[in-house]
Structure formats: C-alpha cells, structure tokens
Amino acid sequence: MSSRARRFFPEPVAAKVPEITFLFWVIKILTTAGGEATSDYLALDLGSRLEAGCIEVGIFVVALVCQFRTRRYVAPAYWLLAYAIAIFGTGVADAMHLFIGIPYAGTTVLWAVVLALVFWLWYRSEHTLSIHSIYTQRREVYYWGVVFATFALGTALGDFTATAAHLGYLASGILFFVVILIPALFWSRFGLNSVVAFWFAYVVTRPLGASFADYFSKPHSLSGVNYGDATVALICTIIVAVLVGYLAVTRRDIQRPQESEAWRHREPAVSTLAEDDT
C-alpha cells in the first residue's frame, strides 16, 4: 500500500470489531432482516434493477470507506458497513439466480465454497480466525470478506429452503432459529471450540433474519403476511439505529484493551482456533 493510501486508510491501533454480547446478536439478526427487505425494496419497488444495483454499490462503498478510515472499533461505522453488506450481499446473491440463472441450490454451494476459501486463506495467512485478533488491516480485510460471503450464502440458503424446498418463509425462519441454538448448546455444554461456535452462529443469522423479514414483508401468495418490504426495512433500520446509538454512548461492546494487547504479543504460530472468542 502506498504512503498516500496508508494516510487515507491508517493502520488500526486497536481491535476493529465489537465484543460479542447478546446485543451483538440482536443487532446482527436485525441487520440481516433489514438488509433483505431493503434490497428487495430497491430491486422490486423502484422499477429498475440497474438503479437498485447502483444504489446498493454506492451505500457499500461509502460504508467501506467509513469503516476503514477508523483506527479502532466505532459502533456506527462498523454497523453501517454490516448493514451495507447485508443489502449488497442480498442483491449479489439474488442477481446470480435471477440474471445468470443459477438455481438456489447452486448459489448456496457456490457461496459455501467461497466462504470456505476465504476462511482457508485467512487462517493460512494469520493462523487465527478469532475476532479478538482483528487489529491489522489485513485481518480486517479477511474479516469483512468472510462477512460478505456469509451474507451471500445466507441469502441463497434462506431462499433455497423457503422456495426450492417449499418450506415457506415462516417454517424456514423457525428452522434456522433451531439451528442457531446448536452452536450455543454445544459450546456451553460440550466444549465446542468458541471460534467455530461463533462463525457457525454468525452464518446462520443471515438466513434466520432474512426468512423472517420475507415472512413479514412478502404477500400472502408467497406465504408472507404482506406488510411490505419498505415497512419491514424501515422498522429494522430504526431499531438498529437506536441500538447502535445506545452502544456508541455506553461503549458496552468495546473489547478490553488487555485482550487485544495479548494478541499483539503472540507469535502467529500459537494463535490457533482454540483462542476464546467470547
């Protein structure tokens, strides 16, 4: 990276992601729901998928710059990018099905492979997948690459279970709600690796939130309750904004400095998947 680029995107001085709390999961699921509804609103209600795509890309680029301009975790910047990826990732996954013609099963497998590849590259480079190690730009790039892949995968998987598997949106949402309890149960009762448990749950939040968003927004003919994409998107956005504002003021989700500093002084070879992520 050139010196000018480094000045514009400075190297982090602290962890760039939040501590994992209950509120983290609440906001994460709401961003997935809001991203699904917002993307569908832009694509279906504006009347032009090209315009919708341009808007989604614009939001994503602005959010990306805001996040990478920060030198430590800042709640509004972090969640703005997460929301932007939720919107853009939905649009990308839907476009692959609608315009390229890849069936939902195919896009699900494709994004699962992409996700596995990014995980492999990240671990090969950094020897850890812990969110407590995101204090360099390279690790942050890997982190957001994984986040994007999880959103696209979750969109494809949720559409597959709801439409191709004919479960409908409500049944799909209930299914993924049960699935997301699995890593929590195995982590708390059977000692499942905390990093594995975190990323397992993180992936499932996408189809969980998207399925319930579609259930509330889609018409009765598509197994929904017909509140509309705009309504669901607006409600989710307002709730997310309030919760992120609360975190920005209280700073309850800031990682403890000693955790980040401990990671800085470890050799990469010993930064394994066994690091505690909660």
Side-chain angles (χ1 to χ4, degrees):
M1 184 182 295
S2 67
S3 59
R4 179 176 297 180
R6 285 194 180 94
R7 287 195 297 270
F8 191 74
F9 296 113
E11 191 71 19
V13 295
K16 292 293 296 291
V17 300
E19 185 58 88
I20 307 306
T21 63
F22 175 74
L23 199 54
F24 171 89
W25 295 112
V26 172
I27 299 176
K28 175 63 171 65
I29 293 172
L30 286 170
T31 61
T32 66
E36 175 78 14
T38 301
S39 181
D40 286 348
Y41 168 75
L42 292 173
L44 301 176
D45 294 354
L46 285 185
S48 171
R49 290 189 178 272
L50 178 60
E51 291 180 8
C54 291
I55 293 172
E56 291 180 4
V57 170
I59 295 173
F60 172 70
V61 171
V62 170
L64 193 68
V65 171
C66 289
Q67 170 63 15
F68 277 83
R69 285 278 290 164
T70 64
R71 303 197 70 184
R72 63 183 74 241
Y73 167 70
V74 177
Y78 175 90
W79 286 111
L80 175 62
L81 181 53
Y83 214 142
I85 291 177
I87 297 169
F88 185 43
T90 298
V92 171
D94 287 343
M96 295 179 70
H97 173 72
L98 296 173
F99 299 117
I100 301 178
I102 303 175
Y104 287 129
T107 54
T108 299
V109 172
L110 173 62
W111 284 109
V113 171
V114 171
L115 177 61
L117 178 61
V118 178
F119 270 135
W120 178 75
L121 291 172
W122 182 1
Y123 190 75
R124 182 187 180 192
S125 171
E126 305 301 311
H127 304 281
T128 177
L129 301 178
S130 172
I131 58 97
H132 288 141
S133 71
I134 313 300
Y135 53 74
T136 69
Q137 278 192 350
R138 184 165 62 182
R139 291 181 180 184
E140 187 178 11
V141 169
Y142 282 123
Y143 174 83
W144 288 111
V146 164
V147 171
F148 187 92
T150 62
F151 273 104
L153 169 61
T155 298
L157 181 59
D159 287 336
F160 172 77
T161 58
T163 58
H166 307 293
L167 291 181
Y169 297 119
L170 180 58
S172 290
I174 295 173
L175 169 65
F176 291 117
F177 176 76
V178 173
V179 171
I180 203 172
L181 297 178
I182 295 174
L185 174 64
F186 275 75
W187 172 74
S188 62
R189 297 294 182 87
F190 304 106
L192 176 65
N193 179 274
S194 59
V195 178
V196 174
F198 170 78
W199 286 115
F200 184 162
Y202 195 95
V203 170
V204 180
T205 58
R206 176 56 182 176
L208 171 62
S211 294
F212 279 110
D214 284 336
Y215 171 69
F216 285 111
S217 64
K218 297 300 183 254
H220 300 295
S221 60
L222 296 177
S223 79
V225 296
N226 200 32
Y227 286 134
D229 293 318
T231 300
V232 173
L234 181 60
I235 292 174
C236 288
T237 301
I238 291 173
I239 297 175
V240 167
V242 170
L243 294 179
V244 171
Y246 168 78
L247 292 177
V249 172
T250 63
R251 299 173 61 84
R252 292 179 178 272
D253 59 339
I254 303 294
Q255 288 191 28
R256 295 190 299 273
Q258 57 267 31
E259 288 182 329
S260 298
E261 289 302 314
W263 274 101
R264 285 182 182 275
H265 291 92
R266 293 187 180 191
E267 291 295 325
V270 300
S271 301
T272 65
L273 283 174
E275 294 300 328
D276 187 16
D277 229 336
T278 57

